[in-house]
Structure formats: structure tokens, C-alpha cells
Amino acid sequence: MQIKILSVSELNNYIKRTIDNDFILNNIRVQGEISNLKYHSSGHIYFSLKDEGSKINCIMFRSNAEAFNILLKDGRKVEVKGRVSVYHRDGSYQIYCNSISDIGLGELYEKFNLLKEKLSKKGFFDIEAKKSLPLYPFKIGVVTSPTGAAVKDIINVITRRNPSIELLIYPALVQGDGSVASLIKGIKVLDSRDDIDIIIIARGGGSIEELWSFNSEELAEAIYNANKPIVSGVGHETDFTICDFVADIRAATPSQAAEISAVSLESLIDSISMDKEKITSLALRRIEDENYNLILLERLLENFNPMNIIIHKYEEIALLKDTLNKNINMAITNNFEQIKALIQLLEAHNPLNVLKKGYSIIFQKDKLINSVAAFKFNESTEIIFKDGKVEGLIVPTEEERK
């Protein structure tokens, strides 16, 4: 018997009818852990149910979600009721959920929280342990998959922001067996190089199990013990891993990790230009201020110039000289008047002036003879007249001898 050749649409529709007619698949109850949860703007809820070995996609339409009061979160363990059907366009099957019951926290999230609490107590997340990023890195090392979208985003962002920064990509496994050891080795290799300024550890988004390698205690220790600052750009904005908490800086995405690590050359040039203008303005203002201060000092120096003091002293000396001359002249005049008065007084009492009236003065032995009794004959006698003097002996007459 020849089997009919089917188109893809016919095959998918056949599989869909087969599954839709299965009683068990139309009344299914499944337990698992939620991951990749998304509340769509249409009101539908999209997520995956997983266990340790497998996962299946699920959807709850808005008509059922509106009556559902539990707020779902990644990592929660739930039980869903519904049916399994095929989305014939993509050929994928999924669970169409009618109701969801919350069971508790998923196993992976329990492990995540336990490790987070353990490392937090050891100080792995302390702010004091975080290293600052260099402002102007010259070379950035990246630990990531060489074929993923993350490395392309990092290269594009850094090339756009600052093409002068060198990139060194360490190709590492970011998922599955051997990925933890690969990531640790990448960090240690880049950390040992003297030319690396910053290390980025990055991976694109995914479910908690796909990001589980970044929740390794060994990887956390390697990041914590690294000497170079490490930026974590793992997953999407809503994804959090142990790597994010222990890294020096957590970026929401690989692209943001690149933006944080690489300063924009354009903004750097603008900043330098602004600093140049600011420095120029400050320098000109300083020059103006110093010039003004110099003028004040020159005026002050001029006021205290020794020549000015000497000139003022010359003026003071001239004033003192004039005062002294006036005082001297006044003293001379006063003394002259006093002398004149004394001369007049002396003249008035000068006995020689009497001689002008016909009188004379007699001295014997330098003794003024002012009486007859004092006069002696035959002794040297000096007679002073108004116009001179005569000396001689005066002898008594005969009558006077008698």
C-alpha cells in the first residue's frame, strides 16, 4: 500500500487531531517548576513547566487568567490542569491551562536561595569587597560563548562607543557539562594578564536551568578572588544569578555590561572639551583676579614707596626749618629788643654818661675815690674825663700842708 505524501500543514493538522482526540491528553494534570514566565499585554500567560529532565511550554488564555488570583513567579512549583494540543503553525505542542495550583518553591530556586544565603554570610556580596572600574580602560576581557548573541552585542556596543578599546574574547562554555570549569578558567586566564583592565562575564537570556552554571559556588569564589574588576552581564533584566551578586557590578544585559565597561569616546571628547572650556574660563578669571590684585599691590606699594616717605619728610623738614627760622628770628628779635632795652637801661645808669656833663672820675690804686677823706696826695691818681684820662701825682698846696 502506498502511503499518501502529506504537506507540512496536513501533517501538523493530523497530529493535532490525534492529540485532541486523546482522552488523557485532554484532561491532563502536570506538576513542575515554572520558568520563562511572561505576562503578555494581551492578558495571556506564557511559561514553561520543567523538572530535572524535561520541560514543556504552557499557555493560559486571558479568559482563564482573569479568574486566576495567584501571582506566578519563576521557580515556583505548581500543578496545572488542562489539555495538550498542537500549535499547527509551528508544529509545537503545549499545555493549554485551565487552572493552576501553587505547590511551593522549585528545587532549583531552593538551591539558589540556600547558596545565596551561604555566600552572603561569607561576605561575598559586601559592598566593601566590590572593586571600582577604571574610568578609562584600554583593554577589556570577555568570558562568554564565541558564537552567541551576547558576544556580538558586546563587540557592537564597545566598537560603537569607543573603538580605541581592545577586546580579548575568551571562548567559554556557558551552559551544560564543563561550563562551570570553562567559565572559571576564563576568569583566571584573563585575571592573570597585566594588560586586562576589566573582565566581563556574559551570557544571553534563558531559563533558570539554562543559566544554572552562573549559580555555581566555585564560579562565585573565582569571581570574588579575582584581582581585576568583573562586570556580570548574564541573562535579561529580570534574570538574577549568584554571579550577578558576587560581581563588582551587575549589568541587566550583556549590552549594558559593555556600556558600563567602555566609556563613550564621544562623551569623553565632549567632557574633555567642557573641562577645557571650564579650565580656560577659570584660568582667565584667575588672571583677571591676580591682575586686579597686582594693581592693588602696586597702589599699595606706591603709597608706601620710600621716595614718597622721603618727599613727605622733606616737606616736614621744610616746615620744621621754616618753623625753626621763625622761632630763631623771633627769639633773636625778642633778645635784640631785650638787649636794646638793657643797653638803654645800662646807658641810663652808665656813670660815664655823667662825664659828658663836665664831671670826672678819680681812681687811686684802681679804687674809686668818691670822698675827700678817701683821697690821698702824692699817690698815683687816674682822672677819667668824657674824652679820655690823665694820670699823675697830686701834691697838696701849702695851705693844705698846714
Side-chain angles (χ1 to χ4, degrees):
M1 182 179 69
Q2 187 176 5
I3 299 176
K4 179 183 178 182
I5 299 175
L6 301 176
S7 67
V8 174
S9 295
E10 289 173 334
L11 175 61
N12 283 344
N13 285 326
Y14 177 80
I15 295 173
K16 175 177 172 55
R17 286 195 301 270
T18 301
I19 292 177
D20 287 346
N21 290 325
D22 187 282
F23 176 79
I24 295 177
L25 296 180
N26 274 273
N27 297 276
I28 201 75
R29 296 175 66 176
V30 182
Q31 289 185 358
E33 185 177 317
I34 294 177
S35 66
N36 296 323
L37 176 66
K38 181 179 180 182
Y39 282 86
H40 197 271
S41 59
S42 63
H44 305 328
I45 303 174
Y46 298 90
F47 59 95
S48 298
L49 268 186
K50 63 182 180 62
D51 56 20
E52 293 182 357
S54 299
K55 74 173 182 177
I56 185 172
N57 293 331
C58 303
I59 179 173
M60 175 178 272
F61 291 124
R62 182 177 63 184
S63 56
N64 292 317
E66 288 176 345
F68 183 66
N69 295 323
I70 299 176
L71 181 63
L72 300 179
K73 292 183 180 179
D74 281 335
R76 298 298 296 184
K77 194 171 183 180
V78 296
E79 179 184 294
V80 302
K81 295 180 182 180
R83 62 186 177 87
V84 177
S85 186
V86 174
Y87 185 39
H88 72 279
R89 192 192 72 178
D90 295 335
S92 61
Y93 70 94
Q94 55 192 356
I95 300 176
Y96 292 83
C97 303
N98 297 324
S99 65
I100 303 175
S101 301
D102 187 13
I103 296 177
L105 196 62
E107 182 180 354
L108 290 180
Y109 269 86
E110 287 181 357
K111 292 180 179 179
F112 172 84
N113 286 330
L114 287 174
L115 180 58
K116 180 182 175 184
E117 183 179 359
K118 176 183 177 181
L119 296 179
S120 178
K121 291 179 178 178
K122 293 174 68 173
F124 276 39
F125 309 150
D126 291 350
I127 297 297
E128 294 78 9
K130 305 296 183 183
K131 295 177 284 295
S132 300
L133 300 185
L135 187 58
Y136 306 114
F138 293 96
K139 196 168 189 176
I140 297 176
V142 183
V143 180
T144 189
S145 170
T147 58
V151 69
K152 295 179 182 178
D153 292 341
I154 290 173
I155 293 172
N156 290 336
V157 170
I158 292 181
T159 302
R160 170 177 52 83
R161 286 176 64 83
N162 196 335
S164 64
I165 295 179
E166 294 184 53
L167 278 176
L168 179 60
I169 309 298
Y170 183 91
L173 297 175
V174 294
Q175 183 177 339
D177 294 339
S179 58
V180 174
S182 179
L183 292 169
I184 292 174
K185 184 177 180 182
I187 289 174
K188 290 183 177 180
V189 168
L190 295 179
D191 191 49
S192 65
R193 294 178 61 110
D194 294 333
D195 57 342
I196 297 296
D197 299 309
I198 299 173
I199 298 173
I200 297 175
I201 181 169
R203 186 202 189 283
S207 63
I208 186 171
E209 64 270 15
E210 291 171 333
L211 300 177
W212 193 249
S213 297
F214 296 88
N215 291 319
S216 163
E217 184 174 357
E218 292 79 9
L219 178 60
E221 290 178 350
I223 295 173
Y224 180 77
N225 293 323
N227 296 315
K228 303 290 174 62
I230 295 180
V231 178
S232 173
V234 178
H236 296 141
E237 187 171 357
T238 57
D239 297 324
F240 283 92
T241 65
I242 296 297
C243 177
D244 293 326
F245 292 106
V246 74
D248 297 296
I249 292 183
R250 185 255 177 181
T253 63
S255 297
Q256 190 183 63
E259 290 185 3
I260 292 173
S261 302
V263 62
S264 170
L265 185 60
E266 183 179 353
S267 63
L268 180 59
I269 292 173
D270 291 341
S271 177
I272 292 174
S273 298
M274 291 177 62
D275 289 342
K276 180 182 177 181
E277 292 178 0
K278 185 177 180 180
I279 291 172
T280 302
S281 176
L282 290 174
L284 291 175
R285 185 181 301 174
R286 179 66 180 274
I287 291 172
E288 290 178 358
D289 292 342
E290 293 301 329
N291 187 47
Y292 178 73
N293 291 334
L294 182 61
I295 293 174
L296 291 179
L297 290 174
E298 287 178 347
R299 292 177 180 175
L300 187 63
L301 182 61
E302 183 178 353
N303 292 335
F304 289 93
N305 190 335
M307 291 304 299
N308 291 335
I309 298 175
I310 292 172
I311 290 173
H312 291 314
K313 292 300 181 183
Y314 276 131
E315 293 176 354
E316 292 179 9
I317 291 171
L319 291 174
L320 291 174
K321 182 180 178 181
D322 291 342
T323 302
L324 182 60
N325 288 334
K326 288 180 180 179
N327 291 336
I328 291 174
N329 291 332
M330 186 178 296
I332 292 173
T333 301
N334 291 337
N335 290 335
F336 180 78
E337 293 296 331
Q338 291 177 5
I339 292 171
K340 185 178 179 182
L342 291 173
I343 290 173
Q344 291 176 353
L345 182 62
L346 184 61
E347 286 293 329
H349 295 80
N350 189 350
L352 297 178
N353 289 335
V354 181
L355 300 178
K356 295 178 181 179
K357 298 179 179 180
Y359 296 96
S360 61
I361 300 174
I362 300 172
F363 287 94
Q364 287 183 334
K365 296 181 179 181
D366 297 327
K367 182 180 180 180
L368 179 64
I369 303 301
N370 54 10
S371 66
V372 175
F375 180 78
K376 295 179 179 180
F377 290 102
N378 298 318
E379 286 192 10
S380 175
T381 303
E382 181 183 13
I383 301 172
I384 299 174
F385 300 93
K386 70 173 182 177
D387 56 353
K389 64 180 180 178
V390 295
E391 293 182 8
L393 296 175
I394 299 176
V395 295
T397 62
E398 291 183 1
E399 291 180 0
E400 290 174 334
R401 287 190 189 106
K402 294 179 179 180

